[in-house]
Amino acid sequence: MAGKRCLVTGASSGIGLATAIRLAELGAEVTIVARDAGRASRALALVQGVAKAAGAPEAAYELADLSLMVEVRRLAEKVGARGRLDVLVNCAGIFMTRRVLTAEGLETQFAVNHLAAFTLTNALLPSLEATKDGRVVTVSSASHRQGRINWKNPGYGLLYFGLRAYGQSKLANVLFTGELARRLGPGSAVTAFAFDPGLVDTDMGNKAGFSPSSLVWSLRRKRGTAPELPAASIADLVSRAELRGRSGLYWKGDAELEPSPRALDAAAARRLWELSEALVAAAVGRKT
Ligand SMILES: NC(=O)c1ccc[n+]([C@@H]2O[C@H](COP(=O)([O-])OP(=O)(O)OC[C@H]3O[C@@H](n4cnc5c(N)ncnc54)[C@H](OP(=O)(O)O)[C@@H]3O)[C@@H](O)[C@H]2O)c1
């Protein structure tokens, strides 16, 4: 990965942090994205330590609250102004038990888990196309298999169930990757993958405060792998020469996997793309 410029979101902890460390270890120039300056500095120190030992360029961080599309766009402008980007890993994600709307009026899980990846990737396409072999990995989940897009209101109403909203957002990750692959077309300089990390021992399910779900997660995570395992798979996805041009792959471990039939529905993917464009435009245009 020497000579490659990589941007990793959700890199202040868990899988994103382990991915940033792995990419730096392989010699890449890594920029991490985080929402909190303290956590960003702590993560950067870890990435930087590895980068130095590997003789990789100095790592850096950018701050952005990815639940806000205005901030996602600002981040993209800043990163895009630097020119070429070889790798984008959309790893930021959140699990919420309560329906919380952002200041832009979006349901938070849909905003962070799907709309941020949708907006950031699209805004950075010119930078990714400026390389001969740009790669995008959007981290989804096996939960996409239970997911359904609530077309009438992806933000849901009063009947909010956290796992349902999470499944929707992770299904959106796979549909987005499929539609992006179709829009890029064969021969594109950019290859887009959806990635399933499996069950991983991270804090994700414990961040929304104490609830029955957080209790379940505390037990469940113990059966998960270390974040270094999916991080190594992501590094493989963005570096293996033979995967170039294989846009639309859903990947787990070291192999392609069949996503759910709903995730392969091309009409739904196109509809979601249009809905996402409209939601982001409304969010950004909204006076808060
Ligand atoms: N763990 C699993 O078993 C599992 C399974 C399948 C899929 N995944 C997916 O893997 C990805 C990473 O999750 P993880 O398990 O590594 O959990 P994690 O440690 O909580 O990582 C999530 C990352 O996203 C960041 N993030 C959350 N909200 C954000 C916001 N508004 N703006 C900017 N950054 C934000 C978090 O920042 P903070 O550090 O500030 O919280 C953190 O760096 C997620 O997309 C998740 O859906 C995880």
Side-chain angles (χ1 to χ4, degrees):
M1 293 300 289
K4 301 272 187 185
R5 279 190 196 157
C6 306
L7 186 73
V8 185
T9 72
S12 47
S13 59
I15 301 165
L17 173 58
T19 301
I21 288 174
R22 180 72 189 136
L23 292 171
E25 210 167 54
L26 295 172
E29 179 182 337
V30 178
T31 300
I32 65 174
V33 180
R35 58 177 161 171
D36 173 86
R39 281 199 292 280
S41 305
R42 283 193 287 280
L44 182 65
L46 296 173
V47 180
Q48 193 47 42
V50 171
K52 207 169 171 189
E58 211 167 298
Y61 74 71
E62 292 292 344
L63 290 177
D65 179 346
L66 300 178
S67 70
L68 298 172
M69 298 307 116
V70 167
E71 292 210 15
V72 177
R73 284 194 177 174
R74 199 179 301 135
L75 168 71
E77 267 170 39
K78 211 166 164 194
V79 174
R82 294 186 205 130
R84 161 183 78 81
L85 179 68
D86 298 281
V87 171
L88 168 62
V89 183
N90 291 310
C91 192
I94 196 162
F95 172 69
M96 310 272 289
T97 48
R98 287 184 310 115
R99 178 176 181 260
V100 177
L101 297 187
T102 69
E104 294 174 339
L106 297 167
E107 188 275 322
T108 307
Q109 291 200 81
F110 200 63
V112 175
N113 298 2
H114 165 58
L115 292 174
F118 172 81
T119 304
L120 189 62
T121 306
N122 275 309
L124 286 174
L125 272 185
S127 300
L128 289 157
E129 281 164 347
T131 77
K132 288 196 193 76
D133 185 8
R135 307 233 180 159
V136 179
V137 177
T138 301
V139 179
S140 178
S141 163
S143 301
H144 89 267
R145 297 179 193 280
Q146 282 83 51
R148 281 184 174 63
I149 306 295
N150 187 12
W151 295 109
K152 280 195 188 145
N153 181 9
Y156 297 94
L158 292 177
L159 265 182
Y160 185 82
F161 181 49
L163 278 175
R164 193 181 305 153
Y166 181 74
Q168 169 182 252
S169 70
K170 294 287 126 182
L171 171 62
N173 292 148
V174 191
L175 287 169
F176 162 58
T177 301
E179 181 62 13
L180 178 62
R182 278 184 286 278
R183 288 179 185 233
L184 289 169
S188 168
V190 180
T191 310
F193 307 105
F195 178 71
D196 177 349
L199 179 64
V200 189
D201 183 7
T202 70
D203 287 337
M204 193 177 77
N206 298 123
K207 287 184 175 173
F210 182 79
S211 69
S213 320
S214 73
L215 205 60
V216 171
W217 180 250
S218 298
L219 298 172
R220 206 167 120 71
R221 62 181 284 179
K222 291 185 183 148
R223 291 191 281 116
T225 66
E228 286 72 21
L229 205 72
S233 301
I234 293 173
D236 263 7
L237 260 183
V238 300
S239 60
R240 276 169 57 175
E242 73 276 16
L243 294 176
R244 184 181 172 197
R246 306 274 325 269
S247 267
L249 283 189
Y250 182 80
W251 194 265
K252 183 176 181 189
D254 60 1
E256 187 181 346
L257 189 68
E258 186 80 357
S260 73
R262 261 193 300 276
L264 294 171
D265 181 339
R270 194 166 48 248
R271 188 175 174 194
L272 176 68
W273 188 285
E274 285 158 12
L275 177 66
S276 303
E277 278 177 336
L279 287 170
V280 173
V284 169
R286 187 183 157 114
K287 301 267 178 292
T288 51

